[in-house]
């Protein structure tokens, strides 16, 4: 609990929470307004037309994608100096002066930031889904809602682990650039894979995307979220309607085994971070 309070005070002291709240509110308002304008053209028969269902899915996927991008930048700017930055300004010396194991400090900082990230991610998730659900009458089953929510908040947990691991090895700015590029490559490879898959020339793109999925599974989990939304409809959507979603189409859906891999992925990353922090010279 103390680490959660400490992380919250840090976010307030650095004015991160107030700025993030205002800009996120602006984003959610613009998205809701856009959904409202689109709903006036659907005339209340969204769920009866597969084309309109596909449009709703694409709109929801686009909103969740941009929400994840906002959350990703929130993570990077907040934690890119979680270890190296505090060592440089001498704050880590004061923390480690107490009789506490370094791995506890590392995991405590992770849990503290994770708590606020889950809270923020949950708000962003419902800020996207609820307008589409109520204004476009898009059906969302309780089981589907639970699955997609857990997947959505799981993505920031992975990126947070990567950012903190990088902070034990790289300077603050270097870590921010490296994590941002890794996240961007993962997103771009997912779009490229869908485009090449649509054209039938996807072998090289699939191999490259698969490697990036292992390094940064964020985009793969977003594809899984789209798949869960489609699967929860229980409507016979034709293949053409799915392909018309363009780069947001779902061709290579990660399996349940891949979701388990991300759990192993996070455990390994946290273990490596604890090990690196334990051996790091902070004097």
């Amino acid at each position: 609990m103390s680490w959660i309070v400490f992380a919250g005070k840090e976010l307030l002291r650095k004015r991160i929470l107030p700025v993030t709240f205002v800009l996120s509110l602006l984003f959610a308002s613009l998205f809701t307004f856009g959904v409202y304008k689109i709903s006036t053209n659907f005339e209340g028969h969204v769920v009866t037309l597969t084309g309109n269902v596909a449009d709703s899915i694409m709109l929801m996927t686009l909103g969740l994608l941009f929400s994840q991008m906002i959350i990703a930048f929130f993570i990077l700017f907040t934690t890119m100096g979680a270890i190296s930055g505090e060592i440089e300004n001498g704050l880590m010396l004061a923390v480690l002066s107490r009789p506490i194991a370094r791995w506890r400090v590392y995991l405590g900082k992770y849990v503290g930031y994770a708590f606020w990230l889950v809270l923020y991610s949950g708000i962003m998730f419902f800020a996207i889904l609820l307008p589409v659900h109520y204004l476009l009458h898009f059906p969302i089953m309780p089981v589907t809602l639970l699955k997609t929510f857990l997947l959505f908040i799981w993505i920031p947990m992975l990126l947070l682990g990567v950012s903190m691991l990088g902070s034990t090895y790289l300077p603050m700015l270097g870590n921010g650039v490296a994590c941002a590029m890794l996240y961007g490559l993962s997103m771009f490879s997912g779009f490229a894979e869908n485009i090449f898959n649509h054209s039938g020339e996807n072998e090289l793109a699939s191999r490259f995307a698969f490697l990036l999925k292992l390094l940064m599974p964020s985009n793969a989990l977003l594809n899984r979220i789209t798949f869960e939304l489609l699967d929860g409809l229980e409507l016979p959507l034709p293949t053409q309607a799915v392909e018309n979603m363009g780069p947001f189409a779902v061709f290579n859906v990660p399996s349940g085994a891949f979701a388990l891999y991300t759990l192993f992925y996070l455990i390994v990353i946290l273990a490596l971070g604890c090990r690196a922090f334990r051996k790091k010279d902070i004097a």
Side-chain angles (χ1 to χ4, degrees), residues 178-191:
C179 292
M181 292 186 66
L182 183 60
Y183 179 81
L185 281 173
S186 174
M187 184 181 303
F188 174 77
S189 67
F191 291 156

Side-chain angles (χ1 to χ4, degrees), residues 87-113:
I87 292 177
E88 291 174 2
N89 60 28
L91 180 60
M92 190 59 69
L93 288 173
V95 174
L96 294 180
S97 63
R98 303 175 181 178
I100 182 173
R102 288 195 179 188
W103 67 270
R104 290 182 179 271
V105 174
Y106 187 87
L107 293 182
K109 292 179 71 66
Y110 178 86
V111 171
Y113 285 120

